[in-house]
Amino acid sequence: MTEPSTAAPEHEKKRSFPSTFTILAGVLLAVWLLAFLIPPGAYRTDAQGRPIAGSYHRLAETKSFGARLRELFLAPVNGLYGIQDSESGQVGPDLTGELYGAAAVFLFVLATGAFITVAFATGALDRGIGALAYRLRSRTLLLIIGIMVVFALAGTVEGFAEETLGFYALLIPLMLALGYDRMTAVGVIICGAGVGVLCSTVNPFATGTASAAAEIPLGQGIVLRLAMLVVLTTATIAYVLWYARRVQADPDKSWSGWLPGDRDVKADEHQPDPMTGRQRVVLWLVALTFAFMIFSIIPWAEVIHGPEAESFAWQLDWFFPELTALFLVGAVLAGLVGGLGEARMTEAIGKGFSDFVGAGLVIVLARGVTVIMNNTQITSTVLHALEGVVTGTSSALFAIAVYLVNIPLALLIPSTSGHATLAMPVMAPLADFANVPRSLVVTAWQSASGWANLVTPTTAVVTGGLALAKVRYDRYVRFVAPLLGILFALTCLFLAVGAWIG
């Protein structure tokens, strides 16, 4: 078969799509300009710090143009350090009550890069991927299904999102070796984990936070969400498989294109050289590190007994600082076990940092958008404008309306728990007037949040993942748009049925 060209298609040579950095810079500037038109406001809060429905009030504008201009340029830096106020330099939580500093995620990405780069330097991942590709050369679709099911389960249980950034360096070479393209790997990772988050069942960061804000048990509505998980995950896997088979049959139909070297290695050309004992140990170390990462971040007590349960004695509750340390220690261990020596190991760690720093900077720039919205106090005003849309409708239309109004809000607030903390105390009481269970509002809200986070350019999951995969954002939008339409229609159908059942 003729090797496909790596050059851009003819229609794309006439124009160049902006880079991820340019897109995010444009979004940052647009939000900054909108903040001049949108008046600042706030909700009064109860004893738990949650907004009270109907208590929205306008706030006086106190910042000068000079202060706002300074804030525009400092927003990404303040987002990195978690500075709440640009003028005072105060460090603390944002209006949603959670720290929004991007430094933790930034360092996590760098540490992941170091770990993977060291593992590749030992030759373990190269030969391991080659061996796996050779064995599965006639059953490649089963591999895609298995990975996506695991990611979806992790997403529905504990909100597997930013943690997926560590898997690109593993899955992209594997997918390329099996005859697929980079977009296939992106679909497996982002869509696999994303549909699980969209259909969160006991995810404490989405379902748990929203249920607590709505003052209902975590388990309410779980039957509907489980049904959604099965159907929507099946639809997502089927879509990714359709695209993967299409590209494998005709590489010229790739929507991501091919970089030099992407198609140099074929999985079925030859049986790879056997791994050494050291390389086998490194492979086990890589597998156990990722497995331990997943175990360490799951809040087991909340998953099993609800959001108010106390942590088990053996529960770790790790977050990005601990995960960063885990991968750095793993990088050192992989280098020592793999026999790299001090010089080659430190060189590999440095290369991993440099290769992944671009993705980290994308995350920092994306966080600057949230900083501007919080500092200008326009988030509550946006929520107030959407609040009236869901009032006075039938139960089925009410559930769909909650879903619809939360989509633009989710695009503006990529933080799942932050979005829940702001929106649910306001929208959950409206369910009482629409004669629908509050759990349906939780389901509608988390579906909107999960749907939006599959495509929003202000989340690290999308922009950081695409930067790691070296896939342009416009090409990813082309890929995911039909799937978004399918998931949108299925979600509306489930919400209508849920409202009808009551």
Side-chain angles (χ1 to χ4, degrees):
M1 181 170 54
T2 303
E3 185 73 10
S5 171
T6 58
E10 189 64 32
H11 69 277
E12 291 187 359
K13 293 180 180 179
K14 300 177 181 179
R15 61 179 176 83
S16 59
F17 192 82
S19 68
T20 301
F21 290 101
T22 304
I23 294 173
L24 285 177
V27 172
L28 186 72
L29 179 61
V31 172
W32 181 77
L33 292 173
L34 284 174
F36 285 95
L37 303 176
I38 302 174
Y43 285 92
R44 290 194 298 272
T45 57
D46 58 18
Q48 287 73 40
R50 297 175 301 192
I52 300 173
S55 67
Y56 171 82
H57 57 281
R58 293 283 181 87
L59 297 175
E61 178 56 63
T62 59
K63 293 187 177 182
S64 63
F65 178 81
R68 287 198 169 196
L69 185 62
R70 178 173 180 267
E71 193 168 64
L72 170 65
F73 291 102
L74 287 179
V77 179
N78 289 341
L80 174 65
Y81 291 110
I83 295 178
Q84 181 180 7
D85 191 295
S86 297
E87 297 181 358
S88 68
Q90 177 185 356
V91 177
D94 64 10
L95 296 181
T96 68
E98 63 178 49
L99 294 174
Y100 57 75
V105 182
F106 178 77
L107 293 175
F108 169 72
V109 169
L110 296 187
T112 303
F115 177 63
I116 295 299
T117 303
V118 169
F120 268 110
T122 66
L125 287 184
D126 299 83
R127 293 193 179 182
I129 290 172
L132 183 60
Y134 182 79
R135 292 181 181 179
L136 296 175
R137 62 192 184 280
S138 61
R139 295 177 294 169
T140 55
L141 298 183
L142 290 178
L143 177 66
I144 293 177
I145 294 173
I147 295 174
M148 293 189 70
V149 167
V150 171
F151 278 15
L153 291 175
T156 193
V157 170
E158 55 88 15
F160 202 59
E162 285 89 350
E163 297 87 350
T164 60
L165 297 175
F167 288 89
Y168 282 90
L170 285 171
L171 292 184
I172 287 178
L174 177 59
M175 292 299 160
L176 292 176
L178 293 172
Y180 304 119
D181 63 351
R182 293 173 178 266
M183 191 69 78
T184 303
V186 168
V188 168
I189 297 174
I190 295 182
C191 299
V195 73
V197 175
L198 189 158
C199 305
S200 293
T201 50
V202 291
N203 172 12
F205 307 109
T207 314
T209 303
S211 297
E215 299 179 346
I216 60 174
L218 176 64
Q220 279 193 14
I222 194 171
V223 174
L224 178 66
R225 293 192 285 268
L226 280 172
M228 289 181 63
L229 177 66
V230 173
V231 175
L232 270 64
T233 299
T234 301
T236 301
I237 292 175
Y239 179 79
V240 174
L241 289 178
W242 165 80
Y243 175 81
R245 296 181 65 180
R246 180 173 179 265
V247 170
Q248 193 178 45
D250 185 358
D252 287 322
K253 292 184 177 180
S254 168
W255 287 346
S256 61
W258 304 93
L259 298 180
D262 276 359
R263 294 188 54 79
D264 288 346
V265 179
K266 306 296 190 301
D268 56 354
E269 283 184 347
H270 60 277
Q271 186 170 2
D273 296 330
M275 288 185 290
T276 66
R278 284 178 176 270
Q279 290 170 340
R280 291 181 183 276
V281 175
V282 171
L283 270 186
W284 275 107
L285 177 63
V286 171
L288 291 175
T289 300
F290 278 100
F292 186 73
M293 177 192 75
I294 295 173
F295 168 81
S296 66
I297 60 180
I298 295 178
W300 295 100
E302 295 184 21
V303 169
I304 296 173
H305 296 301
E308 303 300 326
E310 296 184 2
S311 297
F312 296 135
W314 46 267
Q315 183 174 316
L316 295 179
D317 293 323
W318 280 13
F319 204 51
F320 287 114
E322 293 87 352
L323 297 179
T324 299
L326 172 67
F327 279 113
L328 289 177
V329 171
V332 174
L333 290 177
L336 294 175
V337 172
L340 293 183
E342 185 271 338
R344 290 178 61 198
M345 180 174 64
T346 54
E347 180 183 356
I349 291 175
K351 185 178 185 301
F353 286 160
S354 62
D355 288 346
F356 280 61
V357 71
L361 291 176
V362 164
I363 295 169
V364 172
L365 190 57
R367 195 61 61 93
V369 176
T370 305
V371 171
I372 287 183
M373 290 193 64
N374 288 331
N375 287 345
T376 55
Q377 297 180 298
I378 65 173
T379 304
S380 294
T381 303
V382 174
L383 177 62
H384 175 66
L386 298 174
E387 180 183 348
V389 179
V390 300
T391 307
T393 60
S394 66
S395 58
L397 290 178
F398 170 81
I400 296 175
V402 171
Y403 176 58
L404 292 176
V405 300
N406 272 286
I407 287 177
L409 197 59
L411 292 172
L412 294 173
I413 311 174
S415 166
T416 302
S417 53
H419 180 189
T421 304
L422 278 175
M424 290 310 302
V426 176
M427 295 197 172
L430 299 177
D432 301 334
F433 299 99
N435 295 318
V436 299
R438 291 192 174 193
S439 61
L440 192 63
V441 176
V442 172
T443 301
W445 163 82
Q446 71 179 33
S447 298
S449 178
W451 187 91
N453 283 336
L454 283 171
V455 72
T456 176
T458 58
T459 174
V461 177
V462 173
T463 52
L466 294 179
L468 291 172
K470 299 179 181 178
V471 171
R472 284 180 7 193
Y473 179 74
D474 62 320
R475 295 184 178 185
Y476 170 71
V477 171
R478 179 188 177 190
F479 163 78
V480 81
L483 177 61
L484 289 175
I486 295 170
L487 296 179
F488 180 88
L490 289 174
T491 300
C492 289
L493 177 62
F494 270 103
L495 291 175
V497 171
W500 177 69
I501 296 174

